[in-house]
Amino acid sequence: SNVMVMAESTVLEDIDTGKVERQCRYFKAKVLDDHKAEGTDQTFVDAIDGERTIVFTDKCTSYVNIADYVEIHVTEKSNGQTTKETLKWVHIAISNAKRNFTGTYHKIKKKYLQLYLNEFVYKLNRRYFGERIFDRLLIASITANGH
């Protein structure tokens, strides 16, 4: 199945060493019907927060229009270096999801894949909530009534 995985990250630089890292916070995953740019574009537009966004992607041909929706779009050929650096968190999330699914479920039907991804991403995005989880649940339930 075609799945688009997005990770929101913040660049952090250690002042003493100058080492640059990316801290990752939120993820999104969406099952796509095909690899065409139209579906990718719509998924992407629904996921971003305005035009003041910098996006890093591999050179997949589905991402040709992304530059129209963001401030900066950087593409890099997918290789070992981009897997370990630029797109590190996306690849970690994908491998963790695969490990989670194969360890928990025996078989996943394509029509339910989005539900499994939703559950995985929901848990992943709340990994740092700790004791605030109940308060966040209340806020989410109150604000969701209007949608």
Side-chain angles (χ1 to χ4, degrees), residues 123-142:
K123 290 177 182 178
L124 185 60
N125 288 341
R126 283 148 184 83
R127 66 194 180 279
Y128 297 122
F129 282 9
E131 66 271 354
R132 298 178 321 208
I133 192 101
F134 183 73
D135 297 336
R136 298 287 303 186
L137 178 63
L138 286 176
I139 292 168
S141 64
I142 291 168

Side-chain angles (χ1 to χ4, degrees), residues 48-70:
I48 64 169
D49 188 21
E51 293 179 3
R52 298 205 46 156
T53 305
I54 300 170
V55 176
F56 293 87
T57 65
D58 59 12
K59 289 196 173 198
C60 177
T61 56
S62 300
Y63 305 141
V64 293
N65 300 325
I66 286 180
D68 298 342
Y69 308 111
V70 296

Side-chain angles (χ1 to χ4, degrees), residues 23-74:
Q23 178 189 31
C24 199
R25 188 66 180 195
Y26 297 106
F27 292 86
K28 291 188 180 192
K30 175 83 169 135
V31 176
L32 302 175
D33 295 329
D34 51 40
H35 238 11
K36 294 182 181 172
E38 296 83 30
T40 303
D41 290 350
Q42 188 57 51
T43 301
F44 181 74
V45 169
D46 293 344
I48 64 169
D49 188 21
E51 293 179 3
R52 298 205 46 156
T53 305
I54 300 170
V55 176
F56 293 87
T57 65
D58 59 12
K59 289 196 173 198
C60 177
T61 56
S62 300
Y63 305 141
V64 293
N65 300 325
I66 286 180
D68 298 342
Y69 308 111
V70 296
E71 188 173 341
I72 299 172
H73 178 210
V74 178

Side-chain angles (χ1 to χ4, degrees), residues 52-122:
R52 298 205 46 156
T53 305
I54 300 170
V55 176
F56 293 87
T57 65
D58 59 12
K59 289 196 173 198
C60 177
T61 56
S62 300
Y63 305 141
V64 293
N65 300 325
I66 286 180
D68 298 342
Y69 308 111
V70 296
E71 188 173 341
I72 299 172
H73 178 210
V74 178
T75 61
E76 294 187 22
K77 184 178 180 190
S78 215
N79 59 34
Q81 190 73 8
T82 57
T83 301
K84 292 178 183 167
E85 291 177 9
T86 309
L87 302 174
K88 172 184 172 181
W89 292 109
V90 170
H91 289 283
I92 288 172
I94 292 168
S95 64
N96 286 349
K98 286 181 179 180
R99 169 79 75 193
N100 181 306
F101 296 159
T102 58
T104 307
Y105 310 107
H106 297 289
K107 184 177 182 181
I108 296 177
K109 292 184 179 181
K110 184 177 179 175
K111 72 178 189 175
Y112 300 120
L113 179 57
Q114 185 63 56
L115 297 173
Y116 289 112
L117 287 169
N118 291 349
E119 178 187 8
F120 177 78
V121 169
Y122 180 86

